Amino acid sequence: MDYLNIGLIGYGVVGQGVVKVLKSRRKFLREKYETDFVIKTLCDRSIAKKTNPGLDHTLLTTDYQAILKDPNIHVVVELIGGLSPAKEIVISALRAKKHVVTANKALIAEYGLELFKEAEANGCSILFESSVGAGIPIIRTITEGMAGNKFNGVYGIINGTCNYILTAMSKNKLTFAQALKEAQEKGYAESNPTLDISGMDAAYKLAILTFITMGKFVNVKDIYVEGINHISHDDIEFAESLDLSICLLAIAKKIGNKLDVRVHPTMIPKEHGLATVNGVDNAIFVDSDPLGDVFIEGQGAGQMTAAMGVVADLINLGIRDDAPASIWAFNPADEVENLSLRKIEEVETNFYIRFMVIDKPGVLASITTVLGQHNISIASFSQKQENKGSTVPVVILTHKANEHEVKLALEEITNLAVVKGKPVAIRMEKL
Amino acid sequence: MDYLNIGLIGYGVVGQGVVKVLKSRRKFLREKYETDFVIKTLCDRSIAKKTNPGLDHTLLTTDYQAILKDPNIHVVVELIGGLSPAKEIVISALRAKKHVVTANKALIAEYGLELFKEAEANGCSILFESSVGAGIPIIRTITEGMAGNKFNGVYGIINGTCNYILTAMSKNKLTFAQALKEAQEKGYAESNPTLDISGMDAAYKLAILTFITMGKFVNVKDIYVEGINHISHDDIEFAESLDLSICLLAIAKKIGNKLDVRVHPTMIPKEHGLATVNGVDNAIFVDSDPLGDVFIEGQGAGQMTAAMGVVADLINLGIRDDAPASIWAFNPADEVENLSLRKIEEVETNFYIRFMVIDKPGVLASITTVLGQHNISIASFSQKQENKGSTVPVVILTHKANEHEVKLALEEITNLAVVKGKPVAIRMEKL
């Protein structure tokens, strides 16, 4: 179309980035994509306190109804985050026959199914490139670039904050607390970092990736999620001595009719493509049939990276009324109906387990006896420090072991007198 | 649309792959993308000799006019390769208001500008995902996924055959001839491998990547191209001892108003993402503003990988009349008009140069004197073998040196009595 009238709701970091690009590149975008991208109304609940974006003829308002009720607005950009009122805004926009662009991963992860159907029913699109992978155009790569493939799995590093912290712990020998502080100072972690370091942010994104690849809408609360705040520098060092690297991995794979969907710190071989993903980068492997693996890496955080996903969505809307998200995301019923989530208790992986123990004879026997009783077979054992009578770390690597049995064994071992504190168990994946 | 009638011209390896997917996945594709993908006519000049694809109601013919003249065919898939009659077919199809999907890199590299304009004039699309990167959806990632960005450069490994050969030389200690033979036996190299090992195949692809990123249509014959057949096992070993890896790199970068576009063997640091790209994989970095670097890797060869690019194009056409290629590929005039190609003589890189010399005192002095006269400064020198009076390899690494001066110096040095054969010069890029 000749022009696209935009109503933007939420003038925070990403919103300001979007405005910056649309303003500074207006001529470039108009000439290249034959569409004038016009921000007609800009809404933020504290718009008066924010820097005036200097957009001519743009209505600044605190009332998002001004956007929803304006028949001349073609697309609503929702950048307020959170579930409410974001969901109400998106549904109202769709019912008013407006397209929606959103960067809201929680919203798409929780209500994607409902919203995509609502969009289709209204003949509108809902685009969400920025909800996963920030600087990586992963949504479009999977849905359009890899169209026609069937997907076996998707896995990768999709939380830049955690990757920054783990990289800093490894490269600069920092403790978790020091690395987190550094990430906060550089703007890579929020002052309340819980959403990121708990793994929940990655879980939201993984739910979206699972949905657009394998067609299964997975409730986020059913995803097994473990964060990174129990990882110590000892673990990083042990991993390095084993030629392994620790990253927060989000994994979704189809095994027969079961879907294995989980987020947790994972030790992977140092030579794997994901082990060299540094800082706030994100990187994702998509395993498809018949195309095979496609790997994509890019910046995982930053104002402009997130903004550009929104801009790409707007351009795709501007030059053609895009197909509804449901077409790209939904799989035929018979591909999905038998798929069920595999419980974490059923998962089997190799484990790295670090125990803090009193350094004295017989300790290993007590621990390995319990492991044996739970059918957990040991691949190797290592105690690097010697300090008779004091607490030292020992590390056991297991062969493939069942999650549930490992959990039970660790509870028992924690109660042994020679064991101090809670053991740290990290899954190992060969990928 | 409800169905897409396809006329497929060229039932070779890729064509057979496309038919295989459209046939075996017909129900899946119809349900997922709400489009029935119907091969209405299949044309191949030796169709009688080929295995019958077993498609009901599909016309098999040797006459492509049957497709071009059929008003019920929506899209022509051109898979015959080469420039003629491919160009005539594509133009006729567009003028008959049919969309075109092609995997023909030579055609798009040579005539893309003309064909995209022809498509636009006829309100049709021409899609070419499979022309570059086979299993990597690189065209769509750049044009649609990274829409709105300005591009500073694009570089990577885009010829699977060469990468397979160089990987085999390095990992399995093969000579070039042995590695080529192995590649041919595995179907990764043609019986006449010239197009691949000369670098020309990569040059065609690079021309397309340059066009869709920086908007400049570069004539393939103006691209500096050097193949890999002069690389010896000595070079691979020297590279390894320097923690470097040799790959055939295709590079296009914008430096001010100059475009540096070249294909040649390149030594890159072993820790770089491209150094670990194995076998027939392809991998591409796209440097954009403000999104930064996006890296994408996937299979670079194979029947089904190439076929899936065509299938993705068909799906994109099936669910929406796609925007013309010109919108995605052309940059505004003022972004392009001042861009000119930098001559290879103006390029400056670090060089690895291997000389075969008679092992006797004074040789180094003769060589370095010539280099000095050409203003080429030496970073290091290495002679690993000692064999007085016989021919041994010596390696010199230079600081940044001008291409033209290096060329002149090497001509002079080749004429020295103590130097045997032609020196091998390989550019080094830090990337």
Side-chain angles (χ1 to χ4, degrees), chain A residues 25 27-29 31-34 120 135 137 140-141 143-150 289-299 304-305 308 311-312 315-316 319-320 322-323 327-335, chain B residues 25 27-29 31-34 120 135 137 140-141 143-150 289-299 304-305 308 311-312 315-316 319-320 322-323 327-335:
Chain A
R25 294 224 171 141
K27 177 172 168 287
F28 172 85
L29 298 174
E31 291 181 8
K32 174 150 187 171
Y33 301 107
E34 298 174 9
E120 190 171 18
R140 224 160 242 117
T141 299
T143 54
E144 302 182 29
M146 299 176 78
N149 285 278
K150 296 190 180 189
D289 173 47
L291 200 58
D293 270 357
V294 170
F295 174 67
I296 181 161
E297 179 176 351
Q299 289 181 36
M304 297 319 288
T305 42
M308 286 316 287
V311 171
I315 291 170
N316 277 273
I319 62 173
R320 60 187 172 209
D322 215 317
I327 279 213
W328 294 120
F330 291 2
N331 271 356
D334 60 342
E335 295 280 326
Chain B
R25 293 224 171 140
K27 178 172 168 289
F28 173 84
L29 297 173
E31 292 181 8
K32 173 150 188 170
Y33 301 108
E34 298 174 8
E120 190 170 18
R140 223 158 244 119
T141 298
T143 53
E144 303 183 29
M146 300 176 78
N149 285 277
K150 295 190 180 187
D289 173 48
L291 201 57
D293 270 355
V294 171
F295 174 67
I296 181 161
E297 178 177 352
Q299 289 181 36
M304 297 318 287
T305 42
M308 286 316 287
V311 171
I315 292 170
N316 278 275
I319 62 173
R320 61 186 172 209
D322 215 317
I327 280 212
W328 294 119
F330 292 2
N331 271 354
D334 60 342
E335 295 280 326

Side-chain angles (χ1 to χ4, degrees), chain B residues 356-427:
Chain B
M356 298 305 292
V357 302
I358 309 291
D359 186 9
K360 65 176 186 183
V363 170
L364 182 60
S366 338
I367 292 176
T368 53
T369 302
V370 179
L371 293 174
Q373 283 159 353
H374 287 277
N375 215 8
I376 298 162
S377 147
I378 294 164
S380 76
F381 163 84
S382 163
Q383 177 189 331
K384 290 199 178 149
Q385 301 167 34
E386 205 182 355
N387 198 350
K388 288 281 172 254
S390 292
T391 307
V392 294
V394 303
V395 164
I396 283 174
L397 305 185
T398 75
H399 289 297
K400 267 205 172 164
N402 172 275
E403 281 274 347
H404 185 59
E405 293 296 332
V406 170
K407 195 178 161 217
L408 295 178
L410 293 190
E411 281 167 9
E412 275 184 52
I413 291 171
T414 306
N415 293 328
L416 294 176
V418 291
V419 173
K420 301 292 159 196
K422 211 166 164 269
V424 169
I426 303 177
R427 291 159 194 85

Side-chain angles (χ1 to χ4, degrees), chain B residues 47-325:
Chain B
I47 193 79
K49 290 187 219 149
K50 304 213 169 167
T51 313
N52 188 309
L55 297 166
D56 296 338
H57 314 298
T58 292
L59 174 68
L60 305 182
T61 178
T62 56
D63 177 17
Y64 59 73
Q65 293 295 346
I67 289 173
L68 298 176
K69 289 184 178 153
D70 182 344
N72 292 319
I73 282 181
H74 303 114
V75 53
V76 173
V77 178
E78 181 278 301
L79 297 173
I80 57 174
L83 297 177
S84 183
K87 187 186 175 194
E88 295 74 19
I89 289 173
V90 168
I91 287 181
S92 302
L94 294 170
R95 290 187 181 160
K97 313 291 178 199
K98 300 180 191 312
H99 299 302
V100 170
V101 172
T102 176
N104 191 330
K105 55 193 158 267
L107 184 71
I108 301 294
E110 296 273 4
Y111 299 113
L113 192 63
E114 181 184 342
L115 297 176
F116 293 176
K117 284 183 182 165
E118 186 70 50
E120 190 170 18
N122 288 287
C124 290
S125 299
I126 172 165
L127 301 182
F128 50 101
E129 183 61 72
S130 265
S131 65
V132 185
I136 312 176
I138 185 68
I139 305 294
R140 223 158 244 119
T141 298
I142 288 173
T143 53
E144 303 183 29
M146 300 176 78
N149 285 277
K150 295 190 180 187
F151 296 93
N152 305 314
V154 54
Y155 62 93
I157 293 171
I158 52 178
N159 181 278
T161 308
C162 287
N163 205 56
Y164 183 88
I165 291 172
L166 292 171
T167 305
M169 286 176 74
S170 163
K171 289 217 165 163
N172 309 329
K173 318 272 176 219
L174 303 184
T175 63
F176 175 81
Q178 289 167 332
L180 171 60
K181 190 160 171 278
E182 189 179 284
Q184 285 170 325
E185 283 164 5
K186 293 199 174 175
Y188 297 145
E190 309 277 345
S191 53
N192 178 354
T194 312
L195 187 68
D196 289 311
I197 65 172
S198 68
M200 273 311 291
D201 173 86
Y204 283 128
K205 295 169 179 166
L206 184 61
I208 298 173
L209 292 177
T210 304
F211 189 37
I212 64 168
T213 50
M214 288 164 288
K216 179 81 179 175
F217 190 77
V218 176
N219 204 315
V220 175
K221 71 175 193 311
D222 294 332
I223 297 179
Y224 178 80
V225 183
E226 206 178 273
I228 62 163
N229 52 350
H230 59 293
I231 306 291
S232 81
H233 196 72
D234 279 340
D235 303 316
I236 303 265
E237 278 188 356
F238 265 111
E240 269 167 19
S241 72
L242 296 162
D243 265 338
L244 299 170
S245 184
I246 304 178
C247 59
L248 182 75
L249 213 62
I251 303 171
K253 39 180 185 188
K254 194 155 75 172
I255 302 154
N257 284 329
K258 292 278 188 175
L259 259 186
D260 191 3
V261 186
R262 48 197 162 97
V263 174
H264 52 65
T266 314
M267 289 196 181
I268 59 171
K270 258 203 175 331
E271 68 270 17
H272 192 277
L274 289 173
T276 52
V277 172
N278 278 328
V280 293
D281 268 16
N282 278 195
I284 298 167
F285 272 90
V286 186
D287 173 6
S288 70
D289 173 48
L291 201 57
D293 270 355
V294 171
F295 174 67
I296 181 161
E297 178 177 352
Q299 289 181 36
Q303 180 186 36
M304 297 318 287
T305 42
M308 286 316 287
V310 173
V311 171
D313 282 345
L314 289 169
I315 292 170
N316 278 275
L317 282 174
I319 62 173
R320 61 186 172 209
D321 276 1
D322 215 317

Side-chain angles (χ1 to χ4, degrees), chain A residues 5 40-41 59 65-74 96 98:
Chain A
N5 281 340
K40 190 159 184 290
T41 306
L59 174 68
Q65 293 296 344
I67 289 173
L68 298 176
K69 289 182 178 154
D70 182 345
N72 292 319
I73 282 182
H74 303 114
K98 299 179 192 313

